């Protein structure tokens, strides 16, 4: 009789497990999809209310704004530097042309400036 009771109990336990498994699985999915997001949102809202230093977020926004303004100022500086460098190079080319023109006029005014009547460009080339 004890042996039969043991078999009946084992069979009923197995039937209970077969019946309970899908119900537990459905309950798990229900908690995961419906209850957990609500609990999570509730906890997040509560944490925001309890947080003693909400000003930290504002500092983060101001620091990001200052960083963006710094990048913009840097970009403007680079553009202005390049334009200034181009203008300086053009000015130096004009100055060089003016200086060579001026030195050519001075050589002609002095009558060649070299012994034997050599011109300035011949003297610089070394042709006699």
């Amino acid at each position: 009789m004890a042996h039969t009771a043991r078999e009946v109990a084992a069979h009923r336990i197995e039937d209970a497990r077969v019946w309970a498994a899908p119900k537990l699985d459905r309950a798990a999915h229900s908690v995961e999809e419906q209850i957990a997001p609500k609990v999570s949102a509730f906890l997040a809202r509560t944490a925001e209310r309890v947080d003693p230093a909400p000003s930290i977020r504002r500092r983060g926004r101001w620091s990001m704004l200052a960083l963006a303004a710094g990048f913009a100022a840097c970009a403007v500086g680079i553009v202005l530097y390049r334009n200034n460098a181009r203008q300086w190079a053009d000015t130096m080319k004009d100055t060089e042309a003016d200086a060579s023109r001026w030195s050519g006029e001075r050589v002609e005014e002095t009558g060649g400036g070299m012994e034997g009547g050599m011109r300035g460009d011949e003297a610089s080339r070394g042709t006699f």
Side-chain angles (χ1 to χ4, degrees):
M1 192 151 136
H3 183 61
T4 308
R6 182 176 163 211
E7 287 179 11
V8 170
H11 185 55
R12 287 194 179 184
I13 290 174
E14 187 175 333
D15 288 342
R17 290 176 70 187
V18 168
W19 174 84
K23 300 226 185 263
L24 289 173
D25 189 47
R26 252 184 278 134
H29 287 294
S30 175
V31 167
E32 185 179 6
E33 294 171 359
Q34 295 174 1
I35 298 172
K38 292 177 184 176
V39 171
S40 175
F42 170 75
L43 291 174
R45 283 191 306 268
T46 305
E48 288 175 5
R49 289 182 197 158
V50 172
D51 189 12
S55 62
I56 292 173
R57 290 188 185 125
R58 290 184 188 144
R59 282 188 219 147
R61 289 178 188 157
W62 280 109
S63 63
M64 290 301 289
L65 182 63
L67 184 64
F71 280 133
C74 184
V76 168
I78 289 171
V79 169
L80 291 175
Y81 174 78
R82 286 187 177 181
N83 287 339
N84 190 23
R86 267 191 224 116
Q87 289 174 354
W88 182 79
D90 292 342
T91 303
M92 294 318 282
K93 287 178 186 175
D94 293 343
T95 306
E96 180 184 357
D98 291 343
S100 63
R101 201 173 323 123
W102 179 79
S103 65
E105 290 172 4
R106 295 286 292 165
V107 169
E108 290 174 5
E109 287 177 8
T110 60
M114 292 290 204
E115 294 180 5
M118 256 193 289
R119 294 188 314 202
D121 59 342
E122 290 176 349
S124 66
R125 285 188 300 218
T127 58
F128 293 99

